[in-house]
PDB file of all heavy atoms in Angstrom:
ATOM      1  N   CYS U1480      19.456  -7.930 -22.225  1.00  0.00           N
ATOM      2  CA  CYS U1480      19.856  -7.050 -21.125  1.00  0.00           C
ATOM      3  C   CYS U1480      21.191  -6.356 -21.370  1.00  0.00           C
ATOM      4  O   CYS U1480      22.182  -7.003 -21.722  1.00  0.00           O
ATOM      5  CB  CYS U1480      19.932  -7.887 -19.852  1.00  0.00           C
ATOM      6  SG  CYS U1480      20.352  -6.941 -18.394  1.00  0.00           S
ATOM      7  N   TYR U1481      21.203  -5.038 -21.206  1.00  0.00           N
ATOM      8  CA  TYR U1481      22.426  -4.217 -21.274  1.00  0.00           C
ATOM      9  C   TYR U1481      22.586  -3.487 -19.950  1.00  0.00           C
ATOM     10  O   TYR U1481      21.630  -2.882 -19.467  1.00  0.00           O
ATOM     11  CB  TYR U1481      22.351  -3.193 -22.407  1.00  0.00           C
ATOM     12  CG  TYR U1481      22.446  -3.828 -23.776  1.00  0.00           C
ATOM     13  CD1 TYR U1481      21.317  -4.398 -24.371  1.00  0.00           C
ATOM     14  CD2 TYR U1481      23.653  -3.876 -24.451  1.00  0.00           C
ATOM     15  CE1 TYR U1481      21.397  -5.001 -25.621  1.00  0.00           C
ATOM     16  CE2 TYR U1481      23.753  -4.472 -25.707  1.00  0.00           C
ATOM     17  CZ  TYR U1481      22.625  -5.039 -26.278  1.00  0.00           C
ATOM     18  OH  TYR U1481      22.713  -5.638 -27.507  1.00  0.00           O
ATOM     19  N   ILE U1482      23.794  -3.548 -19.402  1.00  0.00           N
ATOM     20  CA  ILE U1482      24.070  -2.963 -18.086  1.00  0.00           C
ATOM     21  C   ILE U1482      25.155  -1.897 -18.229  1.00  0.00           C
ATOM     22  O   ILE U1482      26.180  -2.151 -18.856  1.00  0.00           O
ATOM     23  CB  ILE U1482      24.606  -4.055 -17.123  1.00  0.00           C
ATOM     24  CG1 ILE U1482      23.585  -5.170 -16.931  1.00  0.00           C
ATOM     25  CG2 ILE U1482      25.070  -3.451 -15.812  1.00  0.00           C
ATOM     26  CD1 ILE U1482      22.362  -4.805 -16.159  1.00  0.00           C
ATOM     27  N   PHE U1483      24.929  -0.744 -17.619  1.00  0.00           N
ATOM     28  CA  PHE U1483      25.927   0.336 -17.644  1.00  0.00           C
ATOM     29  C   PHE U1483      26.338   0.676 -16.209  1.00  0.00           C
ATOM     30  O   PHE U1483      25.488   0.957 -15.375  1.00  0.00           O
ATOM     31  CB  PHE U1483      25.343   1.584 -18.324  1.00  0.00           C
ATOM     32  CG  PHE U1483      24.981   1.346 -19.768  1.00  0.00           C
ATOM     33  CD1 PHE U1483      23.735   0.807 -20.115  1.00  0.00           C
ATOM     34  CD2 PHE U1483      25.878   1.631 -20.787  1.00  0.00           C
ATOM     35  CE1 PHE U1483      23.398   0.570 -21.449  1.00  0.00           C
ATOM     36  CE2 PHE U1483      25.559   1.395 -22.121  1.00  0.00           C
ATOM     37  CZ  PHE U1483      24.310   0.867 -22.449  1.00  0.00           C
ATOM     38  N   MET U1484      27.663   0.633 -15.967  1.00  0.00           N
ATOM     39  CA  MET U1484      28.185   0.928 -14.621  1.00  0.00           C
ATOM     40  C   MET U1484      29.404   1.832 -14.720  1.00  0.00           C
ATOM     41  O   MET U1484      30.106   1.802 -15.723  1.00  0.00           O
ATOM     42  CB  MET U1484      28.623  -0.377 -13.927  1.00  0.00           C
ATOM     43  CG  MET U1484      27.479  -1.209 -13.409  1.00  0.00           C
ATOM     44  SD  MET U1484      28.072  -2.586 -12.408  1.00  0.00           S
ATOM     45  CE  MET U1484      28.525  -3.761 -13.662  1.00  0.00           C
ATOM     46  N   PRO U1485      29.690   2.597 -13.649  1.00  0.00           N
ATOM     47  CA  PRO U1485      30.940   3.380 -13.664  1.00  0.00           C
ATOM     48  C   PRO U1485      32.136   2.449 -13.457  1.00  0.00           C
ATOM     49  O   PRO U1485      31.978   1.354 -12.917  1.00  0.00           O
ATOM     50  CB  PRO U1485      30.782   4.316 -12.464  1.00  0.00           C
ATOM     51  CG  PRO U1485      29.799   3.652 -11.561  1.00  0.00           C
ATOM     52  CD  PRO U1485      28.910   2.805 -12.419  1.00  0.00           C
ATOM     53  N   GLU U1486      33.310   2.880 -13.888  1.00  0.00           N
ATOM     54  CA  GLU U1486      34.514   2.084 -13.650  1.00  0.00           C
ATOM     55  C   GLU U1486      34.762   2.024 -12.137  1.00  0.00           C
ATOM     56  O   GLU U1486      34.299   2.886 -11.393  1.00  0.00           O
ATOM     57  CB  GLU U1486      35.721   2.711 -14.364  1.00  0.00           C
ATOM     58  CG  GLU U1486      36.046   4.116 -13.862  1.00  0.00           C
ATOM     59  CD  GLU U1486      37.080   4.839 -14.716  1.00  0.00           C
ATOM     60  OE1 GLU U1486      37.779   4.180 -15.502  1.00  0.00           O
ATOM     61  OE2 GLU U1486      37.166   6.069 -14.586  1.00  0.00           O
ATOM     62  N   GLY U1487      35.450   0.977 -11.699  1.00  0.00           N
ATOM     63  CA  GLY U1487      35.824   0.902 -10.287  1.00  0.00           C
ATOM     64  C   GLY U1487      34.797   0.213  -9.403  1.00  0.00           C
ATOM     65  O   GLY U1487      34.980   0.117  -8.190  1.00  0.00           O
ATOM     66  N   VAL U1488      33.700  -0.283  -9.987  1.00  0.00           N
ATOM     67  CA  VAL U1488      32.713  -1.022  -9.203  1.00  0.00           C
ATOM     68  C   VAL U1488      33.320  -2.362  -8.754  1.00  0.00           C
ATOM     69  O   VAL U1488      34.191  -2.905  -9.427  1.00  0.00           O
ATOM     70  CB  VAL U1488      31.434  -1.218 -10.059  1.00  0.00           C
ATOM     71  CG1 VAL U1488      30.571  -2.343  -9.556  1.00  0.00           C
ATOM     72  CG2 VAL U1488      30.649   0.081 -10.120  1.00  0.00           C
ATOM     73  N   GLU U1489      32.889  -2.870  -7.604  1.00  0.00           N
ATOM     74  CA  GLU U1489      33.455  -4.105  -7.049  1.00  0.00           C
ATOM     75  C   GLU U1489      33.311  -5.280  -8.020  1.00  0.00           C
ATOM     76  O   GLU U1489      32.316  -5.404  -8.732  1.00  0.00           O
ATOM     77  CB  GLU U1489      32.756  -4.481  -5.738  1.00  0.00           C
ATOM     78  CG  GLU U1489      32.859  -3.438  -4.629  1.00  0.00           C
ATOM     79  CD  GLU U1489      31.693  -2.462  -4.624  1.00  0.00           C
ATOM     80  OE1 GLU U1489      30.975  -2.358  -5.648  1.00  0.00           O
ATOM     81  OE2 GLU U1489      31.502  -1.809  -3.584  1.00  0.00           O
ATOM     82  N   ALA U1490      34.306  -6.190  -7.972  1.00  0.00           N
ATOM     83  CA  ALA U1490      34.320  -7.354  -8.874  1.00  0.00           C
ATOM     84  C   ALA U1490      33.046  -8.186  -8.732  1.00  0.00           C
ATOM     85  O   ALA U1490      32.501  -8.693  -9.723  1.00  0.00           O
ATOM     86  CB  ALA U1490      35.541  -8.217  -8.588  1.00  0.00           C
ATOM     87  N   GLY U1491      32.550  -8.327  -7.506  1.00  0.00           N
ATOM     88  CA  GLY U1491      31.349  -9.135  -7.271  1.00  0.00           C
ATOM     89  C   GLY U1491      30.148  -8.626  -8.049  1.00  0.00           C
ATOM     90  O   GLY U1491      29.235  -9.384  -8.374  1.00  0.00           O
ATOM     91  N   LYS U1492      30.154  -7.346  -8.330  1.00  0.00           N
ATOM     92  CA  LYS U1492      29.024  -6.763  -9.046  1.00  0.00           C
ATOM     93  C   LYS U1492      29.207  -6.854 -10.561  1.00  0.00           C
ATOM     94  O   LYS U1492      28.229  -7.009 -11.294  1.00  0.00           O
ATOM     95  CB  LYS U1492      28.797  -5.334  -8.568  1.00  0.00           C
ATOM     96  CG  LYS U1492      28.266  -5.361  -7.128  1.00  0.00           C
ATOM     97  CD  LYS U1492      28.170  -4.043  -6.445  1.00  0.00           C
ATOM     98  CE  LYS U1492      27.675  -4.254  -5.013  1.00  0.00           C
ATOM     99  NZ  LYS U1492      27.748  -3.051  -4.197  1.00  0.00           N
ATOM    100  N   VAL U1493      30.449  -6.786 -11.012  1.00  0.00           N
ATOM    101  CA  VAL U1493      30.714  -6.941 -12.446  1.00  0.00           C
ATOM    102  C   VAL U1493      30.511  -8.405 -12.847  1.00  0.00           C
ATOM    103  O   VAL U1493      29.732  -8.729 -13.744  1.00  0.00           O
ATOM    104  CB  VAL U1493      32.144  -6.471 -12.798  1.00  0.00           C
ATOM    105  CG1 VAL U1493      32.434  -6.717 -14.275  1.00  0.00           C
ATOM    106  CG2 VAL U1493      32.314  -4.992 -12.455  1.00  0.00           C
ATOM    107  N   VAL U1494      31.181  -9.314 -12.129  1.00  0.00           N
ATOM    108  CA  VAL U1494      31.021 -10.752 -12.404  1.00  0.00           C
ATOM    109  C   VAL U1494      29.556 -11.137 -12.175  1.00  0.00           C
ATOM    110  O   VAL U1494      28.965 -11.896 -12.951  1.00  0.00           O
ATOM    111  CB  VAL U1494      31.941 -11.596 -11.488  1.00  0.00           C
ATOM    112  CG1 VAL U1494      31.711 -13.083 -11.714  1.00  0.00           C
ATOM    113  CG2 VAL U1494      33.403 -11.236 -11.730  1.00  0.00           C
ATOM    114  N   GLY U1495      28.983 -10.578 -11.102  1.00  0.00           N
ATOM    115  CA  GLY U1495      27.612 -10.907 -10.710  1.00  0.00           C
ATOM    116  C   GLY U1495      26.551 -10.390 -11.657  1.00  0.00           C
ATOM    117  O   GLY U1495      25.372 -10.691 -11.477  1.00  0.00           O
ATOM    118  N   SER U1496      26.906  -9.611 -12.652  1.00  0.00           N
ATOM    119  CA  SER U1496      25.928  -9.268 -13.698  1.00  0.00           C
ATOM    120  C   SER U1496      26.264  -9.989 -14.998  1.00  0.00           C
ATOM    121  O   SER U1496      25.379 -10.489 -15.681  1.00  0.00           O
ATOM    122  CB  SER U1496      25.838  -7.759 -13.981  1.00  0.00           C
ATOM    123  OG  SER U1496      26.605  -6.986 -13.151  1.00  0.00           O
ATOM    124  N   THR U1497      27.555 -10.066 -15.317  1.00  0.00           N
ATOM    125  CA  THR U1497      27.981 -10.706 -16.564  1.00  0.00           C
ATOM    126  C   THR U1497      27.553 -12.177 -16.609  1.00  0.00           C
ATOM    127  O   THR U1497      27.172 -12.686 -17.664  1.00  0.00           O
ATOM    128  CB  THR U1497      29.518 -10.618 -16.692  1.00  0.00           C
ATOM    129  OG1 THR U1497      29.916  -9.287 -16.380  1.00  0.00           O
ATOM    130  CG2 THR U1497      29.968 -10.963 -18.096  1.00  0.00           C
TER     131      THR U1497
END
Side-chain angles (χ1 to χ4, degrees):
C1480 182
Y1481 289 82
I1482 299 290
F1483 297 86
M1484 284 188 279
E1486 62 190 344
V1488 160
E1489 300 92 342
K1492 290 172 182 171
V1493 177
V1494 176
S1496 355
T1497 314

